Structure formats: C-alpha cells, structure tokens
Amino acid sequence: ELFGTPHAFPIVIAPCGTQQAFHPEGELATARASRSRDCLQILSTVSSYSVDDVNSARGAPTWFQLYATEQWDVTEQLVRRAERAGCPAIALTVDLPASNREALRRFRRDSNEECQACHVPGFENSIERRPNFNGIDTSTLSATRARNLDWAFVERLRDFTSTRLILKGIVTAEDAALAVEHGVDGLIVSNHGGRAENSGRGTIESLPEVVDAIDGRLPIIVDGGFRRGTDIIKALAIGADAIAIGRPYLWGLGAFGQEGVETVLDILKRELEIVMRQASTTRIDEIGSGLIVRPEA
C-alpha cells in the first residue's frame, strides 16, 4: 500500500523515457501491463506518449516523474499537465543534475543507419518525440533539465502543486532528514541506474541509512539493480515499502510488448513468493530486519 492505495505486490514500474525505442506501443503497452497486474507505474517526463494517453491506456493515473527544466514556467506547465491528467504524485528527479557518460560515448557511433534500417519506417523520428512538452514553448531553453536544484526549489514546487511530492534520487541520511524538514511526502532511493555518478555504491547499500533517518515517517521506494525475488525481499527487510524496476521490464517490452512486461512482473512476483515461503513469511508486513545477516565490519 502506498499513500492508501493498495497494490497486488510491492513492485513498481520505474520511469524510463522513450519506450517507443523498444516497442512501437512503448509506454502504452507498459501501462496496460501495469493495469493487468495491478502495480504502480511512474511515467517519465520524456515518455514517447503523453501522460493523458498513458493514463487512458492504464485506466488509472500514473505517478509523474518530473525533470525540472531551467525555466520555472516550463516546469510549472509540466506539473499542471500532470495534475490535469489526474496524477496523484509528482516524483521530482534530483539524481541527475549533470552526468559524464564516458562509457556511453565510447560505444556511440556517428551514424547508426544500419541499425535503424531494421526498424519500422519513421523509427528514427519516434524516439525524438516529447509529447509531454506539446504546447509548451521551449524555444528559449538552453538545457531541458534544471541545474540549480536546491531546497528552495523543492519548497517552491511543494507550495505550487497540490499533489504529493516525492524526491527521486536520495541516497544519504542527511538528505533524507532534510527532505522531511522541507515537507516532501515520500522518497525514491535511486542513483539513476548508476549512470550519473558511478563510484560503485549500490542503492541497496544506501538504503539502510535512509530508512534509519526517515524512521517510518515517509514511504520509501528503492530502485537500481533489482533483478530477482531475493533482491526484493532484502530491500523490504531493510525497510523499503516498495521496489522499482527499470531495465527488466524494458527487456520484456522490447521482446514481446505488453505480454513481455507482464511476464517480467509475473516472474518477479513468483520469485518473491517463493523466497517468502522459504523465510516463513506469509505477509509483506512480516518481512523484517531479522531476515538480514550483515557482514561484520
């Protein structure tokens, strides 16, 4: 249960942009899978389909992941669009103010025409669509993401929107405590898949200090590297309320569309149930820290 809304299992579909690059139906197929399996979906600002279309396909509102832009009026219009679409929560991403993706640049080709030739006509254009920005003047933006994210910005956004405000990208006890002070409603422990700052510390290593700092005052979701049911039960035992997945469902989407996403969710749910049985836990709220054995320092 998150903010009073029950879900079938504690697995969340994390925000991943440009899903039409994986399948022609992109986020629409993901939304239908989210609906059929009764799990929360968080939609990216840079999705291939608008928040209105995705919410329609899902039959219920998603949460809206927000990339704040350098201009407040553009950010304001994105938030208003999400609010009009019925999104009950805005997840402000704070873990990617800048990045240095050297590995990505090493593998990028100057031209990928050979790859694009295998896709349906127009594929090269579809991955550039940003429908959530339709009708918003972005002509004067020099950067599509804000680089001045601070607590004053969080407070301004908190005062502006009537939805719940989540911070995505908190990995330390200090920032978790400050998030509580500044009135946010929840946290996502995330390091943007390790692509922004890749010093090697996984989110599940950051999770304990965030859980301790929050002390049950806010719901906590964690993402980053969760691939098996055993991974999920460990995060629940540490104190996360739910676990978000990104790459796994994209693999399913790319292979089989909606059915592929559903299969990934089914596999993870089944694996979680298996390890819960092995741990003699019949309910999510029975999963506690006693299941975790920590290595001695």
Side-chain angles (χ1 to χ4, degrees):
E1 183 176 298
L2 292 169
F3 298 125
T5 301
H7 301 280
F9 46 88
I11 299 172
V12 175
I13 291 179
C16 296
T18 322
Q19 290 183 27
Q20 206 171 26
F22 299 90
H23 189 275
E25 295 182 347
E27 291 85 356
L28 302 183
T30 301
R32 289 192 287 268
S34 166
R35 176 179 61 186
S36 73
R37 294 304 185 265
D38 186 22
C39 67
L40 173 65
Q41 178 183 4
I42 308 176
L43 183 70
S44 172
T45 295
V46 292
S47 62
S48 301
Y49 291 91
S50 72
V51 61
D52 303 274
D53 290 341
V54 174
N55 285 355
S56 177
R58 186 171 182 261
T62 62
W63 289 7
F64 187 78
Q65 174 267 337
L66 174 66
Y67 281 127
T69 69
E70 64 174 3
Q71 292 185 6
W72 171 257
D73 63 326
V74 174
T75 299
E76 180 180 300
Q77 292 179 75
L78 288 170
V79 172
R80 287 293 185 233
R81 171 162 283 160
E83 289 176 337
R84 289 193 301 270
C87 296
I90 300 291
L92 173 64
T93 291
V94 298
D95 57 15
L96 196 70
S99 65
N100 182 24
R101 302 182 185 181
E102 295 177 351
L104 178 64
R105 288 197 297 272
R106 284 198 297 269
F107 286 99
R108 177 170 288 165
R109 299 178 180 178
D110 293 335
S111 172
N112 63 346
E113 295 177 359
E114 181 179 354
C115 174
Q116 290 180 349
C118 296
H119 292 273
V120 296
F123 169 79
E124 63 275 10
N125 297 321
S126 68
I127 62 174
E128 297 300 326
R129 295 175 64 239
R130 297 288 185 265
N132 285 322
F133 286 90
N134 287 352
I136 300 175
D137 182 8
T138 58
S139 61
T140 58
L141 282 180
S142 61
T144 58
R145 298 178 189 176
R147 300 184 180 183
N148 60 337
L149 291 175
D150 55 20
W151 293 109
F153 183 94
V154 172
E155 288 185 346
R156 186 179 187 183
L157 185 59
R158 169 70 290 167
D159 293 340
F160 173 74
T161 182
S162 59
T163 68
R164 297 188 185 275
L165 180 60
I166 317 297
L167 292 190
K168 178 184 179 294
I170 299 299
V171 293
T172 66
E174 294 85 355
D175 279 342
L178 285 168
V180 174
E181 291 180 19
H182 288 84
V184 305
D185 299 298
L187 301 180
I188 301 177
V189 177
S190 176
N191 60 13
H192 220 93
R195 297 181 298 140
E197 188 279 310
N198 57 351
S199 62
R201 190 181 194 225
T203 50
I204 200 165
E205 296 174 286
S206 301
L207 181 60
E209 66 176 86
V210 174
V211 168
D212 290 344
I214 293 301
D215 193 26
R217 291 174 289 180
L218 305 177
I220 298 172
I221 300 172
V222 60
D223 69 24
F226 291 91
R227 302 291 183 265
R228 306 301 300 265
T230 47
D231 300 332
I232 293 169
I233 198 171
K234 291 171 188 175
L236 293 172
I238 291 171
D241 295 284
I243 287 80
I245 59 168
R247 288 181 180 93
Y249 82 81
L250 291 178
W251 297 333
L253 177 66
F256 298 106
Q258 175 184 343
E259 183 181 355
V261 178
E262 292 169 341
T263 300
V264 168
L265 292 170
D266 290 344
I267 291 170
L268 290 173
K269 180 176 181 287
R270 184 174 67 248
E271 289 184 350
L272 175 59
E273 290 173 343
I274 289 171
V275 71
M276 284 178 66
R277 291 189 181 103
Q278 293 172 336
S280 298
T281 53
T282 60
R283 294 173 51 86
I284 296 296
D285 58 15
E286 294 176 357
I287 300 172
S289 59
L291 298 182
I292 297 293
V293 177
R294 302 178 188 274
E296 295 182 4

